[in-house]
Amino acid sequence: MDVSAYSRAQIRQLAAALDPGAAGRYLLVSSLAVYGTPTAPGFTERSPLLPADGPEAEAITAATYGVLKVQCEREARESFGPDVLLVRPTYVIGPEDYTHRFDHWVQRLARGGEVLAPGRPETPIQVIDARDLADWMLGLLDQGASGPFHAATPPPFSMGDLLDAVASAVAPPGTTLTWVDEDFLGAAGVQDQALPLWSTNPLIRATGTADPSAALATGLKVRPVADSARDIRPFDPLPQTLTPDQEAELLTAWHQR
């Protein structure tokens, strides 16, 4: 099970250290970022991937991440054969998540009051608890499965659904969500990182409706988002996120517009 490959060279090095014919089934954790703009909501694993025929990027950035994962998938098949397992998860959440993107909303809603929610509540998003992901991937290996699989909350699921679920688990009485238009946020200079899991990138948004039917059919169990929220531990605020004063200023400006 390979959870950390970001380049073809890493997979080649692993294959060189192992005997692919005797090492058992190889599982690569890839990403939904491998897709170009999907053709329709509820897209399957057969949706076209990003073009990745050029040279391998030297740095991992938002622009190169998806292409690098496509190249990793190709190398996995070339090095370990066509029966490799390719798991394409969405945003991974749960205890010990070092990115703290989902955790930010747990901590913010736990403080209560008026909460600035970015964009529109119907914007699609998908998540998967790391514990569910790990249990299911081990099961795939036991089954001898192969091929690509999406690991994600079944759609339709939205940012509004996510924040409502978190609020139901941790928010004190009287907590409210105020949805603030993304054009307003952009004009105020608010970057995506200031409000984690919110993105103005149309490609990221387009991949928020993946169909996980194939994974569900092989045993993927998706716990309620509220249950994941209850298990999040306190952490220091992320440096890029809005401070309470900045959030209050934006909400005041939004109401006075």
Side-chain angles (χ1 to χ4, degrees), residues 128-152:
I128 186 71
D129 193 292
R131 295 165 291 182
D132 299 331
L133 181 62
D135 288 344
W136 167 68
M137 290 193 299
L138 290 172
L140 285 180
L141 292 169
D142 287 341
Q143 295 171 33
S146 62
F149 292 93
H150 294 160

Side-chain angles (χ1 to χ4, degrees), residues 213-239:
S213 295
L216 295 172
T218 59
L220 175 64
K221 306 296 183 186
V222 180
R223 75 187 66 202
V225 169
D227 289 353
S228 297
R230 293 186 187 97
D231 294 335
I232 299 303
R233 302 175 181 87
F235 69 100
D236 293 334
L238 298 173

Side-chain angles (χ1 to χ4, degrees), residues 23-250:
R25 194 167 299 273
Y26 175 75
L27 185 155
L28 172 68
V29 178
S30 184
S31 169
L32 287 178
V34 297
Y35 295 106
T37 303
T39 55
F43 65 96
T44 71
E45 291 84 352
R46 294 184 296 277
S47 186
L49 305 183
L50 289 166
D53 293 329
E56 192 169 73
E58 295 182 0
I60 303 170
T61 67
T64 64
Y65 176 73
V67 173
L68 285 169
K69 284 296 188 179
V70 175
Q71 292 173 333
C72 283
E73 289 190 4
R74 289 182 181 176
E75 185 62 42
R77 288 193 175 101
E78 291 173 10
S79 294
F80 290 92
D83 291 335
V84 296
L85 273 161
L86 303 173
V87 173
R88 298 169 181 164
T90 179
Y91 291 112
V92 180
I93 64 172
E96 312 302 333
D97 171 23
Y98 68 92
T99 72
H100 294 304
R101 292 173 296 193
F102 173 76
D103 306 6
H104 163 85
W105 291 107
V106 176
Q107 197 151 287
R108 174 62 193 93
L109 283 158
R111 293 206 314 265
E114 184 182 15
V115 178
L116 189 158
R120 298 175 179 272
E122 64 269 23
T123 299
I125 189 172
Q126 292 171 296
V127 296
I128 186 71
D129 193 292
R131 295 165 291 182
D132 299 331
L133 181 62
D135 288 344
W136 167 68
M137 290 193 299
L138 290 172
L140 285 180
L141 292 169
D142 287 341
Q143 295 171 33
S146 62
F149 292 93
H150 294 160
T153 314
F157 193 78
S158 67
M159 193 70 177
D161 294 327
L162 183 139
L163 295 186
D164 286 344
V166 173
S168 73
V170 303
T175 301
T176 59
L177 291 170
T178 297
W179 292 91
V180 177
D181 184 81
E182 63 185 32
D183 290 337
F184 176 89
L185 294 172
V190 178
Q191 302 296 313
D192 293 10
Q193 301 95 318
L195 294 159
L197 300 182
W198 169 59
S199 177
T200 55
N201 185 321
L203 183 58
I204 293 176
R205 289 186 173 184
T207 56
T209 63
D211 180 3
S213 295
L216 295 172
T218 59
L220 175 64
K221 306 296 183 186
V222 180
R223 75 187 66 202
V225 169
D227 289 353
S228 297
R230 293 186 187 97
D231 294 335
I232 299 303
R233 302 175 181 87
F235 69 100
D236 293 334
L238 298 173
Q240 307 96 328
T241 52
L242 294 179
T243 66
D245 287 345
Q246 290 171 330
E247 181 185 20
E249 290 173 5
L250 285 166

